[in-house]
Amino acid sequence: MAHDPRREDYQRLSLRFAEELDKGDPADAARAFASFGRRFAQDRDGLPQTDADRAFHLVAMASDVVDRRLPFASDEQAPDLIKRGKELLEEALRLDPACHDATRMLSSSRTASIDERYRFLSDHADEVRASCEQARDQALGELSDERAALAADIAMRPYWRWLASLAEEALICGRNRVAIDISERLLASDPRDTSDVRFTLAYALAKLEDLQGWLALTKRYAALASGRPADDAWTLLAGASLAFHNGNPMVARTGIEKLLRKYPSGAAALIRQIELPDGEFARLRVTPYSEDELILAVSEGIVLLQEGADRSGRGTFGAWVAREAARIDPKAAREAMAAREGGQQS
């Protein structure tokens, strides 16, 4: 998961610091840059920076509050964390009205429904693109070599995150073809798929039962500079859904078995199917092929798992997935049942 606000904060200030050092003696600059990491950690406010840099630092702080701390907070702690996150984002916008990440993150609390947020993100996407492209072109005109490439990349990231959020909202709203179109727009702008929007695309294709589109996506993985084959939880779960709804239970079963080979401790996640809040800054960063990654993929995959009606209260595909996971890992099924009963008693 490539969107890391802390790392991006570091990259922004390292570029700014390097620009300042260019004005002095090269030998002194080399010595000074060697101490940048320490200064960033101990005296960030003393480093050269613009209001836009300060605003992004506040966004990174807000992301830590709402994406890392809030999901694990108690009911008593949550209101203060929500308030703190909003305050940081509002301060970021006062420093830099063009801080698109702050605008996007605040839209979650400023819109009354998922549909309204989708419309807000959709209505302003072109405006954000133009703003980011202007910043990118300015960076390319002022810098050279690797620095220019990094600065241009950083300039476009708020737009990429905007489109990634828009694609996710479209998927949740049932606008599956729109989600596909937006995902393709993002991949055209960022062929390296920094936002991992191919995961959203896989689910949208599965919702439309577009097997050929899903197969084409898996073949495109090698062309994406993501460094991963088409064996992530999103792609495998989407493939199992397609097979299930196309009347191929054996193929779907093979897909779930492959999924649990890739995520050996993940049966409980497939059985429990817990829905988590989406990351506000970007899709949450988790270790590839970890249980956390599968939990995240299952949470986003609720749009597939809850489709249809089942006597258990789950969707037909979700109920089938839970049964298959329990068959493959009976111990995980017993533990999930015990945890469910314990929660009901408490």
Side-chain angles (χ1 to χ4, degrees):
M1 309 293 177
H3 286 296
D4 182 344
R6 299 178 189 179
R7 182 169 178 265
E8 193 165 326
D9 188 26
Y10 181 93
Q11 290 174 324
R12 291 177 68 106
L13 287 205
S14 67
L15 281 172
R16 197 75 59 195
F17 191 61
E19 290 175 32
E20 291 297 316
L21 293 180
D22 285 345
K23 302 173 184 176
D25 180 78
D28 293 338
R31 287 191 295 270
F33 198 79
S35 68
F36 174 78
R38 176 184 55 79
R39 290 189 61 187
F40 180 84
Q42 300 177 4
D43 183 31
R44 185 191 182 285
D45 290 343
L47 291 169
Q49 55 194 292
T50 65
D51 282 346
D53 296 327
R54 294 184 181 92
F56 187 83
H57 180 61
L58 293 171
V59 167
M61 292 173 64
S63 177
D64 184 70
V65 170
V66 300
D67 289 342
R68 293 176 178 271
R69 296 167 57 190
L70 182 59
F72 305 101
S74 65
D75 291 342
E76 292 75 19
Q77 295 169 326
D80 287 340
L81 290 174
I82 293 170
K83 179 182 177 184
R84 177 59 176 157
K86 288 181 181 178
E87 289 173 347
L88 289 166
L89 295 171
E90 288 166 353
E91 185 179 352
L93 283 174
R94 285 194 292 272
L95 281 171
D96 177 21
C99 184
H100 304 302
D101 286 308
T103 299
R104 176 177 54 83
M105 292 168 73
L106 278 170
S107 70
S108 289
S109 60
R110 291 179 172 177
T111 50
S113 66
I114 294 173
D115 280 307
E116 187 176 330
R117 187 176 192 234
Y118 163 78
R119 288 193 296 272
F120 173 83
L121 295 174
S122 180
D123 289 346
H124 294 278
D126 288 342
E127 171 189 333
V128 174
R129 176 185 55 78
S131 172
C132 291
E133 288 179 348
Q134 182 179 10
R136 176 201 63 193
D137 294 344
Q138 181 178 347
L140 291 172
E142 295 175 351
L143 301 172
S144 59
D145 302 328
E146 294 180 0
R147 265 192 240 168
L150 176 58
D153 190 85
I154 289 172
M156 291 302 296
R157 288 178 196 169
Y159 173 59
W160 296 340
R161 288 189 283 266
W162 193 283
L163 283 189
S165 292
L166 179 55
E168 290 169 9
E169 295 297 323
L171 179 65
I172 294 169
C173 292
R175 294 176 168 88
N176 301 306
R177 295 193 187 281
V178 175
I180 291 170
D181 290 343
I182 295 165
S183 298
E184 293 292 0
R185 282 169 57 190
L186 179 46
L187 289 172
S189 179
D190 177 30
R192 294 175 303 172
D193 194 19
T194 308
S195 305
D196 290 336
V197 77
R198 65 192 183 282
F199 299 159
T200 306
L201 178 54
Y203 281 170
L205 290 166
K207 285 284 287 182
L208 289 175
E209 299 186 18
D210 185 352
L211 176 59
Q212 294 307 312
W214 177 82
L215 288 170
L217 174 63
T218 63
K219 292 176 182 177
R220 290 168 59 191
Y221 264 54
L224 297 171
S226 60
R228 296 181 65 180
D231 61 357
D232 54 80
W234 288 266
T235 305
L236 293 175
L237 192 59
S241 173
L242 282 162
F244 178 82
H245 289 295
N246 284 334
N248 295 312
M250 293 302 297
V251 175
R253 183 170 290 115
T254 299
I256 297 300
E257 291 170 349
K258 182 177 181 180
L259 179 62
L260 289 178
R261 285 197 297 272
K262 284 292 177 180
Y263 300 83
S265 62
L270 294 181
I271 294 168
R272 299 179 69 186
Q273 299 176 16
I274 296 172
E275 188 170 8
L276 304 173
D278 293 330
E280 291 292 347
F281 179 75
R283 179 177 273 116
L284 299 176
R285 289 174 57 83
V286 288
T287 303
Y289 303 110
S290 66
E291 185 176 359
D292 285 343
E293 183 174 76
L294 179 56
I295 289 170
L296 181 60
V298 169
S299 175
E300 294 182 10
I302 293 296
V303 293
L304 301 177
L305 295 164
Q306 289 187 352
E307 199 170 29
D310 181 85
R311 287 180 297 177
S312 67
R314 301 174 186 260
T316 52
F317 178 59
W320 180 85
V321 167
R323 289 195 298 271
E324 286 301 309
R327 177 186 62 82
I328 295 168
D329 191 343
K331 181 181 177 183
R334 290 193 297 270
E335 291 174 350
M337 179 64 72
R340 187 180 305 117
E341 292 174 350
Q344 291 173 349
Q345 290 173 3
S346 62

